[in-house]
């Protein structure tokens, strides 16, 4: 699976949009971009995933560049409860039980 | 909302003992996983399980570890002869047909003393 690069930490004011970048320059054509987060020591929580098109759900939006070498997770109105470590993961063929390879992620601190 | 349930939430065991960590995946999911996270470190993949057999395992998942789906609802991780370095949070996860998003449980904190 392709390796990802994320900033180690970011701050965001409550109510503002949090934009979390991820570089995955070695991504291949059949690999998806996944975002998970981990609040304190809880189990990782799925946020969103995409292949090449931008995606939006009730939690976030995922913007993938046209060359697919980078992406941005957007939390439109961050709250204190969004403080967590956010992981960008590139994962291969989703037709099998392929593993998620977690990096060190971005620690997002949402402040008042 | 359906969720993955893990028991116990915290297990303390003496070095050398065997432990069984239990998980109830989301009903009708087909793919099951175990991950672990040593304190302050990354979440690490241990094993994936599909159709009653291991699909993939990491280097960590050696003969000390085994998984089982003893009935239609439970998924267990057995750790034999525990060592101090097995102390970690162990997360179970499951995913449905197509193996898209995986849903994680809240974890079992294993402390080996």
């Amino acid at each position: 699976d392709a390796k990802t690069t994320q900033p180690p930490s970011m701050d965001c004011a409550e109510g503002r949009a949090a934009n979390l970048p991820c570089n995955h320059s070695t991504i291949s054509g059949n690999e998806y971009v996944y975002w998970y987060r981990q609040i304190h020591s809880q189990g990782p929580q799925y946020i969103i995933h995409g292949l090449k098109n931008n995606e939006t759900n009730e939690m976030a939006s995922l913007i993938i560049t046209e060359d697919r070498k980078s992406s941005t997770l957007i939390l439109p109105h961050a709250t204190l409860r969004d403080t967590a470590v956010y992981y960008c993961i590139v994962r291969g063929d989703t037709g099998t039980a392929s593993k998620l390879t977690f990096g060190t992620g971005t620690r997002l601190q949402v402040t008042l | 909302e359906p969720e993955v349930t893990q028991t116990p939430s915290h297990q303390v065991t003496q070095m050398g003992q065997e432990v069984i960590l239990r998980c109830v995946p989301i009903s009708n999911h087909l793919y099951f996983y175990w991950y672990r996270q040593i304190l302050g470190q990354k979440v690490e993949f241990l094993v994936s399980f599909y159709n009653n057999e291991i699909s993939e395992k990491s280097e960590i998942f050696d003969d000390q570890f085994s998984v089982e789906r003893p009935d239609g609802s439970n998924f267990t991780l057995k750790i034999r002869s525990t060592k101090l370095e097995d102390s970690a949070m162990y997360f179970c996860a499951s995913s449905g047909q197509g193996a898209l998003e995986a849903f994680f449980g809240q974890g079992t904190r294993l402390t080996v003393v």
Side-chain angles (χ1 to χ4, degrees), chain A residues 32 34 36 38 40-46 49 87 91 93-104, chain B residues 31 33 35 37 42-43 45 48-50 55-56 89 91 95 98-107 109:
Chain A
Y32 287 73
Y34 283 78
Y36 281 77
Q38 188 175 26
H40 197 48
S41 294
Q42 297 178 21
Q45 178 188 21
Y46 166 81
H49 75 278
Y87 300 100
R91 183 186 181 208
D93 184 5
T94 59
T96 62
S98 54
K99 64 181 185 246
L100 293 164
T101 301
F102 289 83
T104 53
Chain B
Y31 302 88
Y33 315 83
Y35 290 78
Q37 186 175 31
K42 300 177 188 178
V43 177
F45 168 78
S48 59
F49 192 86
Y50 170 70
S55 302
E56 185 178 3
M89 284 289 288
F91 297 109
S95 56
L100 297 176
E101 62 266 34
F103 295 89
F104 285 75
Q106 289 306 296
R109 180 173 298 282

Coordinates of all heavy atoms in Angstrom, one line a residue, chain A residues 32 34 36 38 40-46 49 87 91 93-104, chain B residues 31 33 35 37 42-43 45 48-50 55-56 89 91 95 98-107 109:
Chain A
Y32 N -7.6 3.2 -2.8 CA -8.5 4.2 -2.3 C -7.8 5.0 -1.2 O -6.9 4.5 -0.5 CB -9.8 3.5 -1.6 CG -10.8 2.9 -2.6 CD1 -10.5 1.8 -3.3 CD2 -12.0 3.5 -2.8 CE1 -11.4 1.3 -4.2 CE2 -12.9 3.0 -3.7 CZ -12.6 1.9 -4.4 OH -13.5 1.4 -5.3
Y34 N -8.5 6.5 2.4 CA -9.4 6.4 3.6 C -9.0 7.4 4.7 O -7.8 7.7 4.8 CB -9.4 5.0 4.2 CG -10.1 4.0 3.5 CD1 -9.6 3.4 2.3 CD2 -11.3 3.5 3.9 CE1 -10.3 2.4 1.6 CE2 -12.0 2.5 3.3 CZ -11.5 2.0 2.1 OH -12.2 1.0 1.5
Y36 N -9.6 7.9 8.8 CA -10.1 7.5 10.1 C -9.6 8.5 11.2 O -8.7 9.3 11.0 CB -9.5 6.1 10.5 CG -10.2 5.0 9.8 CD1 -9.9 4.7 8.5 CD2 -11.1 4.2 10.5 CE1 -10.5 3.6 7.8 CE2 -11.8 3.1 9.9 CZ -11.5 2.8 8.5 OH -12.1 1.8 7.9
Q38 N -9.0 8.8 15.7 CA -9.0 8.2 16.9 C -9.0 9.2 18.0 O -8.1 10.0 18.2 CB -7.7 7.3 17.1 CG -7.7 6.4 18.3 CD -6.5 5.5 18.3 OE1 -5.4 5.8 17.8 NE2 -6.6 4.4 19.0
H40 N -8.7 10.1 21.7 CA -8.0 9.6 22.9 C -7.6 8.2 22.6 O -6.9 7.9 21.6 CB -8.8 9.8 24.1 CG -8.0 9.6 25.4 ND1 -6.8 10.3 25.6 CD2 -8.2 8.9 26.5 CE1 -6.3 10.0 26.7 NE2 -7.2 9.1 27.3
S41 N -7.9 7.2 23.4 CA -7.5 5.8 23.2 C -8.6 5.0 22.7 O -8.5 3.7 22.8 CB -6.8 5.3 24.4 OG -5.7 6.0 24.7
Q42 N -9.6 5.6 22.2 CA -10.8 4.8 21.7 C -10.4 4.1 20.4 O -9.4 4.4 19.8 CB -12.0 5.7 21.5 CG -12.5 6.4 22.7 CD -13.6 7.3 22.4 OE1 -14.3 7.2 21.4 NE2 -13.9 8.3 23.3
G43 N -11.3 3.2 19.9 CA -11.1 2.6 18.7 C -11.1 3.5 17.5 O -11.9 4.5 17.5
P44 N -10.3 3.3 16.5 CA -10.4 4.2 15.3 C -11.8 4.3 14.7 O -12.5 3.3 14.7 CB -9.4 3.5 14.3 CG -8.5 2.8 15.2 CD -9.3 2.3 16.3
Q45 N -12.2 5.4 14.3 CA -13.5 5.7 13.7 C -13.4 6.0 12.3 O -12.7 6.9 11.9 CB -14.2 6.8 14.5 CG -15.6 7.1 14.0 CD -16.1 8.4 14.7 OE1 -15.4 9.2 15.2 NE2 -17.5 8.5 14.7
Y46 N -14.1 5.3 11.4 CA -14.2 5.6 10.0 C -14.8 6.9 9.8 O -15.8 7.3 10.4 CB -15.0 4.5 9.3 CG -15.4 4.8 7.9 CD1 -14.4 4.7 6.8 CD2 -16.6 5.3 7.6 CE1 -14.8 5.0 5.5 CE2 -17.0 5.7 6.3 CZ -16.1 5.5 5.2 OH -16.4 5.8 4.0
H49 N -14.1 7.8 2.6 CA -13.1 7.3 1.7 C -13.5 7.7 0.3 O -14.6 8.0 0.0 CB -13.0 5.8 1.8 CG -14.1 5.0 1.2 ND1 -15.3 4.7 1.9 CD2 -14.2 4.4 0.0 CE1 -16.1 4.0 1.1 NE2 -15.4 3.8 0.0
Y87 N -6.1 10.0 10.7 CA -5.2 9.1 9.9 C -5.7 9.1 8.4 O -6.9 8.8 8.2 CB -5.2 7.7 10.4 CG -4.8 7.5 11.8 CD1 -5.7 7.4 12.9 CD2 -3.4 7.5 12.1 CE1 -5.3 7.2 14.2 CE2 -3.0 7.3 13.4 CZ -3.9 7.1 14.4 OH -3.5 7.0 15.7
R91 N -5.3 2.4 0.7 CA -5.6 1.0 0.9 C -5.9 0.4 -0.5 O -6.6 1.0 -1.3 CB -6.8 0.8 1.8 CG -7.1 -0.7 2.1 CD -8.4 -0.7 2.9 NE -8.8 -2.1 3.3 CZ -10.0 -2.4 3.5 NH1 -11.0 -1.5 3.4 NH2 -10.3 -3.6 3.8
D93 N -7.1 -3.0 -3.0 CA -8.3 -3.6 -3.4 C -9.3 -3.9 -2.3 O -9.0 -4.6 -1.4 CB -8.0 -5.0 -4.1 CG -9.2 -5.6 -4.7 OD1 -10.3 -5.1 -4.7 OD2 -9.1 -6.8 -5.2
T94 N -10.4 -3.2 -2.3 CA -11.4 -3.4 -1.2 C -12.3 -4.6 -1.4 O -13.2 -4.8 -0.6 CB -12.3 -2.1 -1.1 OG1 -13.0 -1.9 -2.3 CG2 -11.4 -0.9 -0.8
G95 N -12.0 -5.4 -2.4 CA -12.8 -6.6 -2.5 C -12.3 -7.7 -1.6 O -13.0 -8.7 -1.5
T96 N -11.2 -7.5 -1.0 CA -10.7 -8.5 0.0 C -10.6 -7.9 1.3 O -10.8 -6.7 1.5 CB -9.4 -9.1 -0.5 OG1 -8.4 -8.0 -0.5 CG2 -9.4 -9.7 -1.9
A97 N -10.2 -8.8 2.3 CA -10.1 -8.3 3.7 C -8.7 -7.6 3.9 O -8.0 -8.0 4.7 CB -10.3 -9.4 4.6
S98 N -8.4 -6.6 3.0 CA -7.1 -6.0 3.1 C -7.0 -5.1 4.3 O -7.9 -4.5 4.7 CB -6.8 -5.3 1.8 OG -7.8 -4.4 1.5
K99 N -5.8 -5.1 4.8 CA -5.5 -4.4 6.1 C -5.5 -2.9 5.9 O -5.3 -2.4 4.8 CB -4.2 -4.9 6.7 CG -3.0 -4.5 5.9 CD -1.7 -5.1 6.5 CE -0.5 -4.6 5.7 NZ 0.2 -5.7 5.1
L100 N -5.7 -2.2 7.0 CA -5.4 -0.8 7.1 C -4.0 -0.6 7.7 O -3.8 -1.1 8.8 CB -6.5 -0.1 7.9 CG -7.9 -0.1 7.4 CD1 -8.9 0.3 8.5 CD2 -8.0 0.9 6.2
T101 N -3.2 0.2 7.1 CA -1.9 0.5 7.6 C -1.9 1.9 8.2 O -1.9 2.9 7.4 CB -0.8 0.3 6.6 OG1 -0.8 -1.0 6.1 CG2 0.6 0.6 7.2
F102 N -1.9 2.0 9.5 CA -2.0 3.3 10.2 C -0.6 3.9 10.3 O 0.4 3.2 10.7 CB -2.6 3.2 11.6 CG -4.0 2.8 11.6 CD1 -4.5 1.6 11.4 CD2 -5.0 3.9 11.8 CE1 -5.8 1.3 11.4 CE2 -6.3 3.6 11.8 CZ -6.8 2.3 11.6
G103 N -0.5 5.2 10.0 CA 0.8 5.9 10.3 C 0.6 6.6 11.6 O -0.1 6.2 12.5
T104 N 1.3 7.8 11.8 CA 1.2 8.5 13.0 C 0.2 9.6 13.0 O -0.2 10.2 14.0 CB 2.6 9.2 13.3 OG1 3.0 9.9 12.1 CG2 3.7 8.2 13.6
Chain B
Y31 N -16.1 -9.8 7.2 CA -14.6 -9.7 7.4 C -14.3 -9.2 8.8 O -14.9 -8.3 9.3 CB -14.1 -8.7 6.4 CG -14.4 -9.0 4.9 CD1 -15.5 -8.5 4.3 CD2 -13.5 -9.8 4.2 CE1 -15.8 -8.9 3.0 CE2 -13.8 -10.1 2.9 CZ -14.9 -9.6 2.3 OH -15.2 -9.9 1.0
Y33 N -11.2 -8.4 11.9 CA -9.8 -8.0 12.0 C -9.5 -7.9 13.5 O -10.3 -7.5 14.3 CB -9.5 -6.7 11.3 CG -10.1 -6.5 10.0 CD1 -11.5 -6.1 9.8 CD2 -9.4 -6.7 8.8 CE1 -12.0 -6.0 8.6 CE2 -9.9 -6.5 7.6 CZ -11.2 -6.2 7.4 OH -11.8 -6.0 6.2
Y35 N -6.4 -5.6 15.6 CA -5.3 -4.7 15.6 C -4.9 -4.5 17.0 O -5.6 -4.8 17.9 CB -5.8 -3.3 15.0 CG -6.1 -3.3 13.5 CD1 -7.3 -3.8 13.0 CD2 -5.1 -2.7 12.6 CE1 -7.5 -3.7 11.7 CE2 -5.4 -2.7 11.3 CZ -6.6 -3.2 10.8 OH -6.9 -3.1 9.4
Q37 N -2.5 -1.7 19.7 CA -1.8 -0.4 19.8 C -1.1 -0.4 21.1 O -1.7 -0.3 22.2 CB -2.8 0.8 19.7 CG -2.1 2.2 19.7 CD -3.1 3.3 19.4 OE1 -4.3 3.2 19.8 NE2 -2.7 4.3 18.8
K42 N 1.8 3.4 17.1 CA 0.8 3.3 16.0 C -0.2 2.2 16.2 O 0.2 1.2 16.9 CB 1.5 3.1 14.7 CG 2.5 4.2 14.3 CD 3.1 3.8 13.0 CE 4.3 4.7 12.6 NZ 4.9 4.3 11.3
V43 N -1.3 2.2 15.6 CA -2.2 1.1 15.5 C -1.6 0.1 14.5 O -1.3 0.5 13.4 CB -3.6 1.6 15.0 CG1 -4.5 0.4 14.9 CG2 -4.2 2.6 16.0
F45 N -1.7 -3.7 12.5 CA -2.5 -4.8 12.0 C -2.0 -6.1 12.6 O -0.8 -6.3 12.6 CB -2.6 -4.8 10.5 CG -3.1 -6.0 9.9 CD1 -4.5 -6.2 9.8 CD2 -2.3 -7.0 9.4 CE1 -5.0 -7.4 9.2 CE2 -2.8 -8.1 8.8 CZ -4.2 -8.3 8.7
S48 N -6.4 -10.7 9.6 CA -7.8 -10.6 9.1 C -8.3 -12.0 8.9 O -7.6 -12.9 8.6 CB -7.8 -9.8 7.8 OG -6.9 -10.4 6.8
F49 N -9.6 -12.0 8.9 CA -10.3 -13.4 8.9 C -11.5 -13.3 8.0 O -12.3 -12.3 8.1 CB -10.7 -13.6 10.4 CG -11.1 -15.0 10.6 CD1 -10.2 -16.0 10.9 CD2 -12.5 -15.4 10.7 CE1 -10.6 -17.3 11.3 CE2 -12.9 -16.6 11.0 CZ -12.0 -17.6 11.3
Y50 N -11.7 -14.2 7.1 CA -12.8 -14.2 6.2 C -13.2 -15.7 5.9 O -12.3 -16.5 5.6 CB -12.5 -13.4 5.0 CG -13.5 -13.6 3.9 CD1 -14.8 -13.0 4.0 CD2 -13.3 -14.3 2.7 CE1 -15.8 -13.2 3.0 CE2 -14.2 -14.4 1.7 CZ -15.4 -13.9 1.8 OH -16.4 -14.0 0.9
S55 N -7.1 -14.6 6.4 CA -6.9 -14.0 5.1 C -5.4 -13.5 5.0 O -4.8 -13.6 4.0 CB -7.8 -12.9 4.7 OG -9.2 -13.3 4.8
E56 N -5.0 -12.8 6.0 CA -3.7 -12.2 6.1 C -3.3 -12.0 7.5 O -4.1 -11.9 8.4 CB -3.8 -10.8 5.4 CG -2.5 -10.1 5.3 CD -2.6 -8.7 4.6 OE1 -3.7 -8.3 4.2 OE2 -1.6 -8.1 4.4
M89 N -3.5 -2.0 23.8 CA -4.9 -2.0 23.5 C -5.1 -2.9 22.3 O -4.4 -2.8 21.3 CB -5.4 -0.6 23.1 CG -5.6 0.3 24.3 SD -7.0 -0.1 25.3 CE -8.4 0.4 24.2
F91 N -7.8 -4.0 19.4 CA -9.0 -3.6 18.8 C -9.5 -4.6 17.8 O -8.7 -5.1 16.9 CB -8.8 -2.2 18.0 CG -8.4 -1.1 18.8 CD1 -7.2 -0.5 18.8 CD2 -9.4 -0.5 19.7 CE1 -6.8 0.6 19.6 CE2 -9.0 0.6 20.4 CZ -7.8 1.1 20.4
S95 N -16.0 -5.6 8.8 CA -16.5 -4.9 7.6 C -17.4 -5.8 6.8 O -17.4 -7.0 7.0 CB -15.4 -4.3 6.7 OG -14.5 -5.4 6.4
G98 N -17.9 -6.4 0.3 CA -17.1 -5.4 -0.4 C -16.0 -4.9 0.4 O -15.1 -4.2 -0.1
A99 N -16.0 -5.2 1.7 CA -14.9 -4.8 2.6 C -14.6 -3.3 2.5 O -13.4 -3.0 2.3 CB -13.7 -5.7 2.4
L100 N -15.5 -2.5 2.5 CA -15.2 -1.0 2.4 C -14.8 -0.6 3.8 O -13.8 -1.0 4.3 CB -16.4 -0.3 1.9 CG -16.8 -0.7 0.4 CD1 -18.1 0.1 0.0 CD2 -15.7 -0.4 -0.5
E101 N -15.6 0.3 4.4 CA -15.1 0.8 5.7 C -15.2 -0.3 6.8 O -16.0 -1.1 6.8 CB -16.0 2.0 6.1 CG -17.5 1.7 6.3 CD -18.3 1.9 5.0 OE1 -17.8 1.8 3.9 OE2 -19.5 2.3 5.2
A102 N -14.2 -0.2 7.6 CA -14.1 -1.1 8.8 C -14.6 -0.4 10.0 O -14.2 0.8 10.2 CB -12.7 -1.6 9.0
F103 N -15.3 -1.1 10.8 CA -15.8 -0.5 12.1 C -15.1 -1.1 13.2 O -15.0 -2.4 13.3 CB -17.3 -0.7 12.2 CG -18.1 0.0 11.2 CD1 -18.4 -0.6 9.9 CD2 -18.6 1.3 11.4 CE1 -19.1 0.1 8.9 CE2 -19.3 2.0 10.4 CZ -19.6 1.4 9.2
F104 N -14.6 -0.3 14.1 CA -13.8 -0.8 15.2 C -14.5 -0.8 16.5 O -15.4 0.1 16.8 CB -12.5 0.2 15.4 CG -11.5 0.0 14.4 CD1 -11.6 0.5 13.1 CD2 -10.3 -0.7 14.7 CE1 -10.6 0.3 12.1 CE2 -9.3 -0.9 13.7 CZ -9.5 -0.4 12.4
G105 N -14.2 -1.7 17.4 CA -14.7 -1.7 18.7 C -13.9 -0.7 19.6 O -12.9 -0.1 19.1
Q106 N -14.3 -0.6 20.8 CA -13.6 0.3 21.7 C -12.4 -0.2 22.4 O -11.7 0.5 23.1 CB -14.6 0.7 22.8 CG -15.7 1.6 22.3 CD -15.2 2.8 21.5 OE1 -14.5 3.7 22.1 NE2 -15.4 2.9 20.2
G107 N -12.1 -1.5 22.1 CA -10.8 -2.0 22.5 C -10.8 -2.7 23.9 O -11.7 -2.5 24.7
R109 N -8.0 -3.3 26.9 CA -6.7 -2.9 27.4 C -6.1 -4.1 28.1 O -6.6 -4.5 29.1 CB -6.7 -1.7 28.3 CG -5.4 -1.3 28.8 CD -5.4 0.0 29.6 NE -5.8 1.1 28.8 CZ -5.0 1.7 27.9 NH1 -3.8 1.3 27.7 NH2 -5.5 2.8 27.2

